[in-house]
Amino acid sequence: MSNLKLKASVRSGSPKQSTEVEAELYGPSITNQHLLVNRHELEKVFAEAGSSMLVDLDIAGKINAPAIIKEIQRDPIKNQIIHVDFMQVDMEKTVTVSVGFLPQGKSNAISNMGGMLEKNLTKVVITCLPANLVKALTVDLAKLSDLKSVIRVSDLEIPAGVTVKTNPRDVIYSIAASRRAASTEAKGDAAPAAKAPAAKAAEPKKK
């Protein structure tokens, strides 16, 4: 997948409030760049890239800077992006980012047993070369086969070249039992007891 592209210009004045956003580009081997980007284009790029995919910043048609969106600030009322920080990356050096999850498949515990999906972890930390960055890691919900099933970090499908730094024992998804599921499970637990043979009466002692 090719990197997403975003045009930027060198900032020389205040942004046009309706269409432009102030941006900062920084990195270990460059001088900080004060930029302006188009708000509409930035919103589209951020929706696709999040904070873990490469963005090619085209600065005034002269500089191409591969970068990651490190932080955005939004207007608390309009919810528009009003500021963005980009970090330039070295394509030959590993980077560390946080990524979320992309659930796929169907859970038997949800479809047939009345369970409800419970998300216990929203992101994991990964390291990789910039070319191997991913927006999210795939999670197979089919692993949730019964009401006691959990999916841990160790169950994730990890792409080649990516290393997960989060504790492999951490739980990502589990099943929260609904009233129907809890009732069904309780009946199932009680059934063997109901069928158990009655205890024999104690025989009278012989005199």
Side-chain angles (χ1 to χ4, degrees), residues 101-115:
F101 309 109
L102 178 63
Q104 293 183 345
K106 292 184 177 181
S107 162
N108 179 64
I110 296 172
S111 300
N112 301 316
M113 302 177 72

Side-chain angles (χ1 to χ4, degrees), residues 100-104 107 110 116-123 137-144 146-153 155-156 170-176:
F101 309 109
L102 178 63
Q104 293 183 345
S107 162
I110 296 172
M116 297 179 295
L117 187 65
E118 189 167 78
K119 195 171 188 177
N120 304 91
L121 196 65
T122 58
K123 291 185 177 183
L137 294 175
T138 301
V139 181
D140 183 7
L141 295 184
K143 296 180 184 295
L144 298 172
D146 57 51
L147 298 176
K148 296 180 180 179
S149 299
V150 298
I151 296 178
R152 301 182 186 275
V153 172
D155 296 318
L156 289 170
D170 285 356
V171 174
I172 301 171
Y173 288 115
S174 59
I175 295 296

Side-chain angles (χ1 to χ4, degrees), residues 12-178:
S12 58
S14 299
K16 298 175 183 178
Q17 295 297 322
S18 60
T19 60
E20 293 181 326
V21 174
E22 290 185 346
E24 297 291 330
L25 173 65
Y26 62 89
S29 58
I30 62 168
T31 303
N32 285 18
Q33 301 280 318
H34 309 298
L35 307 171
L36 291 174
V37 296
N38 179 274
R39 175 178 283 111
H40 178 66
E41 293 301 317
L42 174 61
E43 291 278 10
K44 288 200 303 182
V45 166
F46 183 66
E48 291 191 52
S51 299
S52 62
M53 294 288 287
L54 281 181
V55 176
D56 279 338
L57 275 180
D58 178 354
I59 304 174
K62 298 178 180 179
I63 301 174
N64 184 69
I68 297 171
I69 298 174
K70 291 298 289 184
E71 183 179 359
I72 63 167
Q73 297 175 19
R74 290 186 180 272
D75 183 290
I77 298 175
K78 298 181 179 180
N79 199 36
Q80 293 179 334
I81 297 177
I82 57 176
H83 187 89
V84 57
D85 287 345
F86 293 96
M87 184 185 76
Q88 187 174 21
V89 300
D90 184 333
M91 298 301 291
E92 301 301 319
K93 295 182 179 179
T94 59
V95 293
T96 300
V97 298
S98 295
V99 298
F101 309 109
L102 178 63
Q104 293 183 345
K106 292 184 177 181
S107 162
N108 179 64
I110 296 172
S111 300
N112 301 316
M113 302 177 72
M116 297 179 295
L117 187 65
E118 189 167 78
K119 195 171 188 177
N120 304 91
L121 196 65
T122 58
K123 291 185 177 183
V124 291
V125 176
I126 66 169
T127 61
C128 60
L129 290 173
N132 294 327
L133 284 168
V134 294
K135 184 177 181 180
L137 294 175
T138 301
V139 181
D140 183 7
L141 295 184
K143 296 180 184 295
L144 298 172
S145 57
D146 57 51
L147 298 176
K148 296 180 180 179
S149 299
V150 298
I151 296 178
R152 301 182 186 275
V153 172
S154 58
D155 296 318
L156 289 170
E157 299 175 17
I158 310 301
V162 174
T163 300
V164 176
K165 307 301 288 185
T166 303
N167 189 331
R169 296 290 299 165
D170 285 356
V171 174
I172 301 171
Y173 288 115
S174 59
I175 295 296
S178 64

